[in-house]
Amino acid sequence: MTEFGDFISALGEFGPYQKWLVLFLSLPLLLNPFQMIGQVFMVVDVPHHCDTSWIRAIGPNLTEEEQLNLTLPRDADGAYEQCSMYSPVDWDLASIMVYGLNATEKCSNGLVYPSAQPPSLLTEFDLVCDRKDLNDISQSVYMVGLLLGAMIFGPLSDRIGRRPIFLISILLQGLFGVGTAFVPHFYVYMAFRCVVGASVSGILITALALATEWVGVSSRPKAVLISHCFVAIGQMLLAGLSYGIRNWRLLEIAGSAPMFALFFYIWVLPESARWLVTKGRIEEAKKVLQKAASINKRTIPPGLLEQLKPETQTKSGSTLDLFRKKHLRKVTLIMSCTWFAVSLVYYGLSLSVTSLGLDIYLTQFAFGAVELPARFCCIFLLQWFGRKKTQGVLLLLSGLMCLVITGIPEDQPMVTTVLAIIGKFTATASFSTSYVYSAELFPTIVRQTGVGLCSMSARVAGIMAPLIRLLGKYHRAIPMAIFGSAPVVGGLLCILLPETRGTDLADDTGSATPQLSRRPEILSKRDTRQDGVDLEKDAYRCSERK
């Protein structure tokens, strides 16, 4: 029986067609880091104090320093309080200067920021004092968007196709990303961020499916991890972009508008031929396969194409299919735990590594520089050691780094930073491995549903990571202990998973274990004749004699 992998071998496992496809899938990922962590550069803390201009009505000739000295209390260090003021009174200026003011209240007339400060999210929406928590809440709302995107776009792309979901996600990210720059209220900003998060999730999971379903077994990790390297490059670009553009609205436009430059994807982005076959759309599958073979300068044997026939019953998958079969239930539960653990340690470390001794822009560049080799190394680690060992060991190492940090004294920030960067390196590599491993473990008809479910688990961890850091006020070691324990457990659970290196992608839910790819490379008729000898017939005669 002909398998779909035979067609991929015939047209070329990683020819020019697949390389262009991976490039097209990777370009939107350059902007994903901006959506993920760009807000950090829009809420940089600046000096501020309550607006106490009420005293100007009775003392118009006061200097700014005199005004602040009369109307603002001081903290234990002698600096002006940033979030409280003396209550306004009806006294004359002389009485105020003689007797002073004692009763305090929260800022009731707004806040004052440095006049030279470019407009930022923090200053425009007053994300300080009682509203300070809105910054973290908005980050959690973005993570909720990622969760909703995984819930919606994962199953939807299994039903209506990878291509339409990818295009819709690009459109949504561009529209709502640019729209965020024009919002009048912070709550509208959070709503737009939620939609952007959902679109980012849609791009991530559909790019994964298209990258894995169009390439051969040996090039699968390469295709996925090359696209992940663009995420690391995007993080470094974010540092330069945010350094050059300090106005938060202009920064939003600069980080989102380039999505509209990808409108040409409507004409060049293909649908997954593997998905078309599982849906019984054979003629469409033949067309895209022949186009791919043509660009790769290969020819698919006509006899092989004739074997591509629609199935009597079109296959369709659902979330319930992941739990009906014992082997899929085990894979789903373990991979969900793995994604949760790696996401928790990744975001936990990203939020905690703040003692590098560099400014925020250089620190961001360093984070991207760490991720690039981590993702690139996965290409070789997955080929040399397989998926299961790589995933398990990387998770264990990232967890152990966090656990070791809990025992480092507070007066050794450099040691803590080095361990945290090593942990971030292994967590990043583990995250990339999770994408490749999950795509190979789930069958085609439920691949996006399965990866979407795993992504949901990761997004729950992303929402929890900032909240876990708040436990540090009880003991500084608690957050790192939690961030370290989860990946250790996840790494040990990986022992129970099957190895998928060198195996064909499963198309239906029937196979309990990945099937090793045993077929030889399929050659075109042009390639199978050499010096007038038909190599296919010759190979057949040799096998008959054996």
Side-chain angles (χ1 to χ4, degrees), residues 344 402-403 406 468 471 477-487:
L344 192 68
C402 292
L403 293 177
T406 61
I468 291 173
L471 298 176
I478 293 177
M480 277 298 171
I482 297 174
F483 294 147
S485 301

Side-chain angles (χ1 to χ4, degrees), residues 45-50 73 75 79-84 107 111 128-129:
D45 197 21
V46 295
H48 57 86
H49 59 78
C50 299
D75 58 22
Y80 291 119
E81 289 282 359
Q82 294 187 320
C83 299
S84 63
C107 302
L111 293 133
V128 293
C129 303

Side-chain angles (χ1 to χ4, degrees), residues 20-32:
W20 277 108
L21 176 62
V22 170
L23 176 62
F24 289 148
L25 296 175
S26 301
L27 289 179
L29 302 185
L30 282 173
L31 298 180
N32 277 5

Side-chain angles (χ1 to χ4, degrees), residues 38-39 42-43 121 125 127 138-139 141 180-181 183-194 248 252:
Q39 184 175 312
M42 302 176 192
V43 291
L121 204 61
F125 296 116
L127 302 183
S138 67
Q139 290 283 37
V141 168
T180 303
V183 296
H185 304 292
F186 191 70
Y187 295 105
V188 179
Y189 170 86
M190 288 196 290
F192 275 48
R193 287 280 292 161
C194 185
W248 81 272
E252 279 283 359

